[in-house]
Amino acid sequence: LGKDDYTKLMLEKKLFDDAAARAHHDRVAKMLSEFDAAAGGFTGMFGAVPVGVDLSWWDFGLLKLFSTNSLLLTQDSEDARLARAFFGIEEGSRVSSSAMGDCKVDASSVVTGSAARSG
């Protein structure tokens, strides 16, 4: 969505005031412009709603969707690989910024910002 349409939508949903919606749009647009999905061999685009062909849409605003989309990171699909690339999760090791002690982490799990001693 363009900035004006995004701002209108956010005002209708009462999520932001005008200035905050425009600033949020700018932050997200900057982030997306700096993320080069094509460098990872991915196709498609991100969207604000789950419609369209070759579209990735990960909603973390509802608990049900937060759980579903968090678990997407553990799956083996193009959308899962794109999500891991977007969130900076390397394919070779899905453990980052974590101290795992003697813990064993399986190949599909994603661990970040965690500390554990055993398990």
Side-chain angles (χ1 to χ4, degrees), residues 5-82:
D5 290 333
Y6 179 82
T7 300
K8 181 180 176 188
L9 180 62
M10 294 300 106
L11 291 171
E12 288 172 3
K13 291 184 170 194
K14 299 181 181 177
L15 294 174
F16 296 109
D17 63 23
D18 188 85
R22 291 178 182 284
H24 186 257
H25 182 277
D26 289 344
R27 286 192 306 275
V28 172
K30 180 180 185 292
M31 177 184 62
L32 290 176
S33 72
E34 293 173 354
F35 178 69
D36 184 9
F42 299 109
T43 59
M45 59 183 283
F46 293 107
V49 292
V51 295
V53 178
D54 294 328
L55 178 84
S56 288
W57 180 76
W58 313 310
D59 188 333
F60 288 89
L62 298 173
L63 185 56
K64 174 182 151 186
L65 296 174
F66 180 88
S67 178
T68 298
N69 289 314
S70 293
L71 290 172
L72 171 68
L73 298 170
T74 68
Q75 297 173 7
D76 184 26
S77 68
E78 183 172 348
D79 202 36
R81 287 187 291 281
L82 178 60

Side-chain angles (χ1 to χ4, degrees), residues 103-116:
C103 294
K104 303 289 186 232
V105 180
D106 66 17
S108 65
S109 294
V110 175
V111 181
T112 186
S114 300

